Amino acid sequence: MPWPRFKPIFYMFVLLVTFPSLADTTYPLTLMDGLGNPIVIEKPPQRISSKTLFTDAVLLDLIDESALSSLTDLANNPNYSLIIDRLPKNVPLMGLNIEMIIANRPDIVFAANWSDASKLSMLERAGITVFRLQAPKNIQEIEKEILRVGKIVNRNKAAKQIVATMRLRLKADIIPVEHKFTGMDYNPWGTSSGQNSSWNGLLEQAHVENIIKDYVTDKYGQVPVSKEMIILLNPDVLFIPEWVYGNENTAEQFKQQVLSDPSLQSVNAIKYNRVYQVPHALRGVYSQYFVDAIRFINHSVYKK
């Protein structure tokens, strides 16, 4: 049975703390982007285009929807987005389509540091400021990027509130444990996420020890994993995909293969029924909703 549609609770969480006053941003503002390049923002952006799911989520908590010129075309895709229920009706969704973005006339475009460099250069040549964001790998880096976006759009206090709410939720809603389970993710193409990945940071905050973290990773933070390796490591918990791109049945078929494989029956995760499917939108999140992913893992493992 598929896991029900996930509804994040971050934006419904009531903020119970106060904040020191934060000065408005002074322009012109120069900041280093996610590629290490200095970017000058001449004045407060009035029309803002988001081309990452990260900034989609963050900007909805920072600015009025009237200042959004567009959000990503993935923002209404349930396999990737956690903000479907929050999407403004009058803000267009579009990918990295140069003609459409230029016609949309934004002051600034937020993109990922791995976005198509040639397309972003075309936007810059058209006179549009492009700020490339670093993809965060842990909650500290996520907080830093949220504060940086807040500074760029002159919403420093609101950005600080997002960060404070994240910390408050982690303190109030994550189950503390004395004995951590060991765990790892495992997918149909035979890899697991090591130390150089956002998944590793997620497990740390959820109080699960990533049993694969000391293995050498590729540039994507992945470690090749065989069945023999899983048996040798013997994780207490195994995390597998709820959805796999390209075939709606792949994830469920993979789950049944893992659970019924005779060679894996001695593995603690399978022996004690601790195999959990993780919704893809949570698996890849790196906005303030990272806390919801941590909560999902923590509560799944420790049964709150």
Side-chain angles (χ1 to χ4, degrees):
M1 179 177 178
W3 202 69
R5 169 79 179 95
F6 182 77
K7 293 187 178 181
I9 64 173
F10 177 88
Y11 66 91
M12 296 184 287
F13 195 79
V14 178
L15 188 61
L16 301 176
V17 295
T18 58
F19 308 93
S21 60
L22 296 171
D24 290 341
T25 302
T26 301
Y27 300 90
L29 170 69
T30 302
L31 288 175
M32 304 299 286
D33 73 1
L35 293 178
N37 299 318
I39 304 297
V40 179
I41 297 101
E42 296 290 348
K43 57 185 179 180
Q46 301 300 309
R47 287 182 57 78
I48 301 163
S49 177
S50 169
K51 291 295 150 272
T52 76
L53 286 167
F54 169 80
T55 44
D56 285 355
V58 173
L59 289 169
L60 284 176
D61 276 348
L62 286 182
I63 62 176
D64 187 86
E65 65 183 64
S66 62
L68 288 169
S69 71
S70 69
L71 297 171
T72 70
D73 55 347
L74 292 176
N76 65 349
N77 186 320
N79 292 314
Y80 295 97
S81 176
L82 296 172
I83 58 170
I84 292 175
D85 297 334
R86 303 191 58 202
L87 293 177
K89 293 181 180 179
N90 297 321
V91 177
L93 306 181
M94 61 180 70
L96 198 53
N97 182 303
I98 302 306
E99 291 78 11
M100 292 178 65
I101 293 173
I102 292 175
N104 200 240
R105 303 173 68 86
D107 299 324
I108 188 170
V109 172
F110 285 105
N113 61 349
W114 43 262
S115 297
D116 190 316
S118 62
K119 290 184 177 181
L120 296 183
S121 294
M122 291 174 66
L123 292 175
E124 290 170 323
R125 289 197 295 271
I128 298 172
T129 299
V130 176
F131 197 91
R132 298 161 176 83
L133 289 157
Q134 179 70 44
K137 294 186 177 67
N138 54 54
I139 199 162
Q140 291 78 22
E141 292 181 3
I142 290 171
E143 291 177 355
K144 182 179 178 181
E145 289 299 287
I146 290 171
L147 294 175
R148 184 153 59 161
V149 172
K151 188 174 185 68
I152 290 171
V153 300
N154 198 22
R155 294 292 187 272
N156 295 290
K157 184 175 181 180
K160 187 73 174 179
Q161 288 175 340
I162 293 174
V163 170
T165 302
M166 291 170 65
R167 295 177 180 178
L168 189 60
R169 286 194 58 205
L170 284 173
K171 183 176 181 180
D173 205 29
I174 303 303
I175 303 168
V177 296
E178 293 183 5
H179 172 71
K180 293 182 180 181
F181 282 135
T182 60
M184 60 185 287
D185 64 321
Y186 182 48
N187 55 56
W189 47 95
T191 66
S192 185
S193 302
Q195 192 162 15
N196 188 32
S197 68
S198 60
W199 177 257
N200 185 70
L202 193 162
L203 288 189
E204 285 182 356
Q205 291 292 327
H207 305 315
V208 177
E209 182 183 347
N210 184 7
I211 205 168
I212 209 82
K213 68 179 180 180
D214 293 327
Y215 287 78
V216 177
T217 65
D218 62 18
K219 64 179 180 179
Y220 304 107
Q222 297 296 294
V223 179
V225 172
S226 64
K227 291 180 183 179
E228 291 78 13
M229 190 173 179
I230 295 174
I231 295 168
L232 178 65
L233 293 171
N234 194 22
D236 296 317
V237 185
L238 204 59
F239 302 99
I240 58 177
E242 184 202 56
W243 175 82
V244 176
Y245 178 80
N247 188 327
E248 293 294 331
N249 298 319
T250 299
E252 188 61 28
Q253 291 171 353
F254 180 66
K255 175 184 176 181
Q256 297 307 319
Q257 290 171 8
V258 170
L259 294 177
S260 62
D261 192 317
S263 67
L264 297 177
Q265 296 309 302
S266 63
V267 176
N268 283 340
I270 295 171
K271 184 191 300 185
Y272 297 110
N273 195 30
R274 291 193 291 255
V275 178
Y276 304 106
Q277 286 184 294
V278 182
H280 190 75
L282 286 178
R283 178 66 179 82
V285 68
Y286 57 99
S287 67
Q288 65 268 42
Y289 293 109
F290 196 70
V291 177
D292 290 281
I294 295 169
R295 180 180 184 273
F296 175 85
I297 296 299
N298 175 263
H299 287 205
S300 295
V301 173
Y302 299 111
K303 306 296 186 185
K304 184 169 183 178

